[in-house]
Amino acid sequence: MGSRFDITVVANTEEEGSAYIQLAIDEIKRIEGLISSWDEHSQTSLINEKAGVEAVIVEAELFELIQRAVRLSALTDGAFDISYASMDRIWKFDGSMTNMPSDADVKASVAKVGFQNIVLDAQKHTVYLAKKGMKIGFGAIGKGYAADKAKALLMSKGVQAGIINASGDMNSWGQQPDGQEWKVAIVNPMDKHKTFALLPIKDGAVVTSGDYEKYVEFGGERYSHIIDPRTGYPSKGIVSATVFAPSAELADALATSLFVMGIEAGIDMINQLPKVDCIIVDDKGLVHQSDNILIENMNKQ
Ligand code: ADP
Ligand code: MG
């Protein structure tokens, strides 16, 4: 998936532990083969290729992932949208961009974006992108999904405890061998050597999306790799969003959504979701959090 995974398992012997880790790796690779937009043989690439042409029959697993992604679009008023992907023709975060794209280019490209044009047929298990040039991509949800699946697989094999860390998308279960809870350190995005807090994660997920790794700068302004699907322009104002949720998939999608929704609307949404919490750091270094998170003195660090 173009990102680093760290896998931790609690096992009786090193051999047993290594075997479990290999299972997790195989599972993550399998998912990559399903959702990758780089791999031209993936079902996702086929859906994109057939945009505006015809519906594509896909595996139940991919169909359901897309279905959940579309529901998240509705929940976030379109802030989260897997069809943001055609914007990657305009915005590139690999260092190759030298100029701000023109308004006309952004407008033409954003016309291809819109979850309303992802047509799903639950009977036939088909996905149809209704506009030519439309594209879907799982950049904002795929790592979380893979972490959830790897965790579920290991749990089903009897692994008592572990952590799947997909480049900051963390999912844990069970406890450390000494009986202590797993803990996650939330890094201060303004100074990566400092952490805000060490929080316990109990059988759940915590995901951080940050713009400090992928962004472009024009005229001294920083543009993040998260695009507002409604305008076609990168989101602004937030440098890091951490979400706690029962699944990494949900946490991943919501962390991305917060960038687009902004602090007030975003925290409002999070407060309405059961078992979901967030910590947001804005571009002035101020920390904002949902109602159920109590971390003292965070703004002072
Ligand atoms: P990371 O953890 O790598 O920072 P995020 O979870 O923050 O990733 O998601 C950012 C990625 O999501 C982008 O690189 C892009 O692939 C995709 N993306 C960008 N904007 C949106 C959006 N509005 N909705 C869904 N996916 C998006
Ligand atoms: Mg995300």
Side-chain angles (χ1 to χ4, degrees), residues 31-245:
I31 292 163
E32 178 167 33
L34 208 58
I35 68 174
S36 164
S37 351
W38 301 311
D39 175 354
E40 56 186 48
H41 303 295
S42 76
Q43 293 193 348
T44 301
S45 295
L46 190 62
I47 294 171
N48 290 340
E49 205 184 296
K50 298 288 182 186
V53 180
E54 63 184 356
V56 175
I57 300 175
V58 299
E59 274 177 45
E61 184 178 354
L62 182 61
F63 184 88
E64 283 157 18
L65 178 66
I66 295 173
Q67 205 170 36
R68 291 195 300 278
V70 171
R71 282 193 206 122
L72 277 161
S73 295
L75 177 78
T76 59
D77 280 331
F80 178 84
D81 193 332
I82 53 170
S83 75
Y84 84 92
S86 63
M87 298 306 300
D88 68 8
R89 299 189 183 105
I90 301 284
W91 297 100
K92 297 185 197 300
F93 299 94
D94 56 3
S96 66
M97 273 181 98
T98 50
N99 283 308
M100 183 87 177
S102 72
D103 278 343
D105 283 350
V106 172
K107 269 212 182 79
S109 198
V110 82
K112 312 278 184 205
V113 178
F115 67 94
Q116 298 87 347
N117 293 315
I118 302 174
V119 183
L120 300 173
D121 185 326
Q123 242 88 54
K124 296 189 198 136
H125 272 195
T126 58
V127 182
Y128 176 54
L129 305 182
K131 288 192 179 176
K132 239 194 156 71
M134 232 181 128
K135 253 169 96 173
I136 54 171
F138 296 99
I141 192 172
K143 276 184 296 168
Y145 177 64
D148 285 346
K149 291 292 283 185
K151 170 182 165 179
L153 178 72
L154 293 184
M155 284 180 85
S156 78
K157 300 285 178 194
V159 181
Q160 296 296 318
I163 308 173
I164 313 286
N165 179 359
S167 305
D169 290 17
M170 307 250 297
N171 208 337
S172 75
W173 73 103
Q175 291 165 335
Q176 299 185 47
D178 63 6
Q180 290 207 42
E181 303 290 352
W182 299 115
K183 291 195 182 73
V184 59
I186 312 285
V187 173
N188 180 344
M190 298 300 177
D191 181 349
K192 281 212 237 173
H193 303 294
K194 287 189 183 157
T195 54
F196 282 138
L198 202 60
L199 297 169
I201 37 169
K202 272 193 207 158
D203 193 25
V206 51
V207 167
T208 298
S209 284
D211 87 339
Y212 43 93
E213 272 156 3
K214 277 199 238 162
Y215 60 88
V216 286
E217 250 175 8
F218 300 118
E221 275 227 64
R222 188 189 267 217
Y223 296 88
S224 89
H225 67 303
I226 296 174
I227 311 282
D228 187 331
R230 299 156 300 192
T231 62
Y233 282 90
S235 65
K236 271 199 212 163
I238 292 177
V239 293
S240 146
T242 298
V243 174
F244 298 80

Side-chain angles (χ1 to χ4, degrees), residues 79-80 139-141 209 226 241 243 251-261:
F80 178 84
I141 192 172
S209 284
I226 296 174
V243 174
D252 197 1
L254 291 175
T256 305
S257 309
L258 287 176
F259 276 80
V260 178
M261 296 177 85

